[in-house]
Amino acid sequence: MGAVTLRVGNLDALIAYYRDVVTLDLLSHDGAVAVLGRGQVPLVILQHAPELKAAEPRSAGLYHTAILFDTQADLAAAVYSIGTKSPGTFTGSADHLVSQAFYFTDPEGNGIELYWDRDRTLWSWTHGQVKMASLYLDPNAFISEHMSPDSSAGHAIVGHVHLSVGDVTSAREFYVNRLGFEATANFGPSALFVSAGRYHHHMAMNTWESSGSGKRRLALGLGQVSIIVPGTDDIGALTERMAHFGVDTRHDGQTLSFDDPWANHIVVRTDTAAASAPVEPA
């Protein structure tokens, strides 16, 4: 997964939150667009859109952007930073068996997950489905156990993106049958988890706060989701696949973009294009 683009009303406040509280680096700030990440890896792109209003309640859109840390120590340092500088944005934590996760909401209501994966050899699979749960995870105990004086701003990536959608049946049809992800966990009519390469999930869709919602109106919040593929052959194959299913796409040779059934905008890029592409208006 590549960087997630958010349309924001107060750019300065959101830069301060992701930089000073979540502990991301400000990689660039050019006018109305700020890019934050770790090292040279963009994770969150903030696009100033003060003319837009907040999204309507219970609409489709972003549930959370999930940032994956290499080590528990680096995750603990980020969780500690948020807990001390902006404790009111903490919304929960859980041990998911495959991972340990902490949840927050930024000042404009965009969900964030910060997490660490257990080794893949410890994941349990049955008939192609990965076993996940939501067990109690004490954030203070986690920080005490794993934070160390040399905890630093280590490497991190966007591990997965979780969307709010209107219904899981349509989500499966689009993201599995059309886009080509594999379903890795299914929680009845309420949630679906999908991935490539037997990861526990690169994307998820749920109806917990958006059941029955239709297409999104232009509003603050999610601008676009970025998916990274190895090369142009993958872009070409996906272009043909989406054409076969009648999905409207835009293709420039290195990137392919389209909307899901709820007007969540998806951009698929190659590794090379992701490293050099300018930020598109979302």
Side-chain angles (χ1 to χ4, degrees), residues 83-102:
T84 53
K85 297 173 184 175
S86 189
T89 63
F90 174 73
T91 58
S93 56
D95 186 325
H96 293 307
L97 302 182
V98 295
S99 63
Q100 293 175 305
F102 300 86

Side-chain angles (χ1 to χ4, degrees), residues 97-98 117-125 130 198:
L97 302 182
V98 295
D117 274 340
R118 288 191 170 88
D119 190 273
R120 289 184 181 226
T121 59
L122 301 175
W123 302 357
S124 178
W125 293 84
V130 67
R198 283 179 69 83

Side-chain angles (χ1 to χ4, degrees), residues 18-19 23-28 35-41 153-154:
Y18 283 95
R19 179 191 60 204
T23 70
L24 302 185
D25 303 321
L26 182 60
L27 304 182
S28 67
V35 181
L36 296 103
R38 282 290 180 91
Q40 296 303 309
V41 180

Side-chain angles (χ1 to χ4, degrees), residues 15 29 61 66 80 98 105 109 122 143 187 191 202 204 207 221-222 267 272 281:
I15 289 174
H29 183 188
Y80 176 80
V98 295
T105 302
L122 301 175
I143 291 169
F187 295 88
H202 286 111
T207 62
L222 180 63
V267 177
T272 302

Side-chain angles (χ1 to χ4, degrees), residues 140-234:
N140 293 314
F142 181 87
I143 291 169
S144 297
E145 181 178 355
H146 297 292
M147 191 168 170
S148 62
D150 59 352
S151 294
S152 62
H155 181 67
I157 61 172
V158 176
H160 64 268
V161 178
H162 200 143
L163 300 177
S164 294
V165 299
D167 70 279
V168 167
T169 299
S170 298
R172 176 183 288 273
E173 171 62 26
F174 186 84
Y175 284 98
V176 177
N177 298 346
R178 299 189 180 192
L179 186 51
F181 279 115
E182 296 178 354
T184 56
N186 188 20
F187 295 88
S190 65
L192 173 69
F193 295 74
V194 304
S195 83
R198 283 179 69 83
Y199 188 54
H200 53 73
H201 65 295
H202 286 111
M203 296 191 71
M205 306 89 204
N206 76 67
T207 62
W208 300 327
E209 299 172 1
S210 56
S211 180
S213 62
K215 288 190 175 183
R216 302 170 57 209
R217 296 181 180 179
L218 185 62
L220 296 174
L222 180 63
Q224 66 185 34
V225 174
S226 180
I227 299 173
I228 311 301
V229 296
T232 55
D233 288 348
D234 301 283

